[in-house]
Amino acid sequence: TSGFGDKGLSIKAEVSTTGSFGTITVSSGIADRMEIVLEAAVNTDSGTIKIRQDGISDSLEDLDADIATKAAAVALFEQRTLEKFQRLEVLLGSLQTQSQALGSALLGLPNLQTFISNR
């Protein structure tokens, strides 16, 4: 009546009289308890292994999302840096042109003095 199977259970009492000699209590042994613990661990719907697998999967998804976000940020930074570099190259070309024009003008200064003196 206790809910435990009694197959293979035997009790030996060496008494010569009849009557009540006490109560016999049957409880789970280590094998029953181990079975319960293992079933709780490997249950495919709610076992501890399934819960940990789901947690790891969620962590991997979060990491993938972080990687995608950081990759997009790096790509944007790369694009901005390239644009700045291109603008700097254009500015440098313009400054080099101005430098050459100024150099030519400075070379003509001695001729300007002669031109002014001859007037």
Side-chain angles (χ1 to χ4, degrees):
T1 61
S2 65
F4 292 100
D6 59 358
K7 183 178 179 182
L9 180 65
S10 65
I11 300 171
K12 182 178 181 181
E14 295 189 21
V15 291
S16 57
T17 60
T18 60
S20 177
F21 294 101
T23 304
I24 297 175
T25 304
V26 179
S27 63
S28 296
I30 190 153
D32 285 333
R33 291 181 187 149
M34 187 62 119
E35 180 182 3
I36 292 168
V37 168
L38 288 175
E39 283 194 19
V42 298
N43 185 308
T44 58
D45 294 325
S46 62
T48 54
I49 293 174
K50 173 71 172 150
I51 291 169
R52 288 188 178 172
Q53 284 176 331
D54 291 345
I56 291 170
S57 293
D58 291 345
S59 294
L60 289 174
E61 288 173 8
D62 291 345
L63 287 173
D64 286 342
D66 286 347
I67 289 170
T69 301
K70 293 200 186 313
V74 166
L76 184 61
F77 176 77
E78 181 182 13
Q79 179 184 356
R80 287 183 193 156
T81 304
L82 269 171
E83 289 171 358
K84 287 178 182 179
F85 183 75
Q86 289 170 345
R87 286 194 302 265
L88 283 173
E89 280 190 327
V90 169
L91 180 62
L92 182 61
S94 172
L95 289 174
Q96 284 176 338
T97 302
Q98 289 177 8
S99 172
Q100 290 170 356
L102 187 58
S104 295
L106 289 175
L107 286 175
L109 279 180
N111 295 336
L112 179 63
Q113 185 179 11
T114 305
F115 176 75
I116 292 174
S117 300
N118 290 337
R119 270 184 132 202

